[in-house]
Amino acid sequence: MVYMAVMAAGVVAFLAALNWFPSLVRPDLARRYATVEDAMRAAGYHGILVPKYFPEGLSWPPAFIFAQKRPFRAVVLEFTEPKTMRTALIVVQSSLKGGAAEAEKLQRIRFARIREQTGYRLKGRDAVLQVGICGDGRPCSRIIWKEGGFYSSVLYMSYPVELIRIADSMVR
């Protein structure tokens, strides 16, 4: 019995080391971070756009923080609703060109159907506002704009009124 426990612990330790090894060899590949500052440094950003306004039920800090430097720089922040622990807000900042289609690759929640898409002026910047239904059946909206050579995308699991307030709070 002891031998089996030692062998199982050895296998678990081996698999953990195997999982950890790629981040040692290539620290610029995609991985999860504990703080926004760590993710920002890992992605090579000097500053990322972070919401200053959060609708009722959402708050700082993000529940999930992801960053990468290769093959392109990106930081993803996910905020959850405390009551349900479901993702309600996703903020993506990326150097990858391609707008909505490319931003969606970095999001764990995607549109099932876009009902409306329109141009929008976000504090003097050209943006694209999308409204529709996400994969889990909830209404969602997203706004995407370019600032300083980077693309920002904000997806909110609700209608666009609050989304616009969130995005406005991010733009300097």
Side-chain angles (χ1 to χ4, degrees):
M1 202 62 135
V2 172
Y3 178 72
M4 285 180 47
V6 169
M7 288 301 291
V11 168
V12 168
F14 174 73
L15 291 175
L18 197 61
N19 188 36
W20 181 57
F21 182 71
S23 65
L24 286 177
V25 176
R26 298 286 309 262
D28 51 357
L29 293 177
R31 53 184 278 221
R32 190 173 180 172
Y33 291 89
T35 67
V36 173
E37 292 78 17
D38 291 344
M40 187 173 63
R41 269 192 300 291
Y45 284 122
H46 298 292
I48 59 172
L49 300 177
V50 177
K52 293 168 188 61
Y53 166 78
F54 291 96
E56 188 175 329
L58 295 180
S59 63
W60 190 263
F64 178 81
I65 304 167
F66 161 92
Q68 67 182 31
K69 198 170 192 175
R70 292 188 191 269
F72 56 91
R73 294 192 297 175
V75 174
V76 179
L77 309 175
E78 288 187 8
F79 299 86
T80 57
E81 297 171 331
K83 293 177 185 174
T84 63
M85 296 308 293
R86 293 187 340 181
T87 300
L89 176 67
I90 302 173
V91 176
V92 178
Q93 190 167 352
S94 167
S95 65
L96 185 63
K97 296 176 183 168
E102 298 303 327
E104 195 163 28
K105 290 178 183 177
L106 298 170
Q107 298 171 180
R108 295 193 290 182
I109 297 175
R110 292 181 170 74
F111 275 100
R113 184 174 64 233
I114 296 175
R115 289 188 174 166
E116 188 174 342
Q117 178 171 313
T118 186
Y120 187 80
R121 293 291 289 172
L122 182 66
K123 289 190 176 176
R125 291 149 184 88
D126 290 326
V128 175
L129 178 63
Q130 300 172 321
V131 180
I133 303 295
C134 278
D136 61 357
R138 292 189 286 173
C140 59
S141 51
R142 175 172 54 197
I143 190 163
I144 300 166
W145 72 96
K146 182 180 178 186
E147 183 166 339
F150 297 100
Y151 293 85
S152 296
S153 169
V154 181
L155 176 80
Y156 184 52
M157 304 303 290
S158 187
Y159 298 102
V161 175
E162 291 292 336
L163 170 72
I164 291 169
R165 291 179 69 187
I166 295 167
D168 274 342
S169 79
M170 293 173 64
V171 177
R172 297 176 186 115

